[in-house]
Amino acid sequence: MSDDHAGSLVQRGDENEEFVLKLYRNWHSADLSVEDRTMLTYVEKLNFYPSETDEMDLSKLRSAGFSDENITDIVMLTGYRAMLNRLHDALGVS
């Protein structure tokens, strides 16, 4: 995602530009809720170290208030985004 693409969240009115760019560049430095931080920690692990995810990770999500349906959505959307990134990279799509 380019800085320009990050602006689409701003255009929709979801967030302000400064916050969106902070999320894009380094979400660890953003002021996030416990729920969002827990979810993004899991998504980062799932994306970069999928074989290391375990029941403890799911327990942390449940403790943060995520239902099994929410967790399924998180996993499916993370996988979908990873697949799209690989397709775009392989085909040279920008």
Side-chain angles (χ1 to χ4, degrees):
M1 177 190 310
S2 67
D3 285 0
D4 292 335
H5 184 67
S8 66
L9 290 172
V10 176
Q11 290 172 354
R12 286 193 331 226
D14 295 346
E15 298 294 345
N16 67 56
E17 185 173 2
E18 182 181 335
F19 180 73
V20 170
L21 289 175
K22 186 176 275 193
L23 278 178
Y24 169 67
R25 291 179 180 150
N26 180 10
W27 69 265
H28 297 275
S29 67
D31 182 25
L32 299 171
S33 67
V34 171
E35 294 84 3
D36 286 344
R37 193 165 295 283
T38 302
M39 177 189 60
L40 290 173
T41 298
Y42 175 72
V43 166
E44 188 172 70
K45 184 175 181 180
L46 180 60
N47 189 54
F48 294 111
Y49 310 101
S51 65
E52 294 179 18
T53 59
D54 57 24
E55 186 60 38
M56 181 62 73
D57 297 307
L58 301 179
S59 293
K60 288 177 186 176
L61 288 168
R62 289 184 187 108
S63 293
F66 292 98
S67 67
D68 287 346
E69 183 177 359
N70 296 145
I71 294 168
T72 299
D73 288 344
I74 291 166
V75 171
M76 291 179 68
L77 289 169
T78 301
Y80 177 70
R81 185 63 190 177
M83 180 199 70
L84 286 180
N85 286 340
R86 279 148 188 82
L87 285 172
H88 288 170
D89 289 348
L91 298 173
V93 177
S94 60

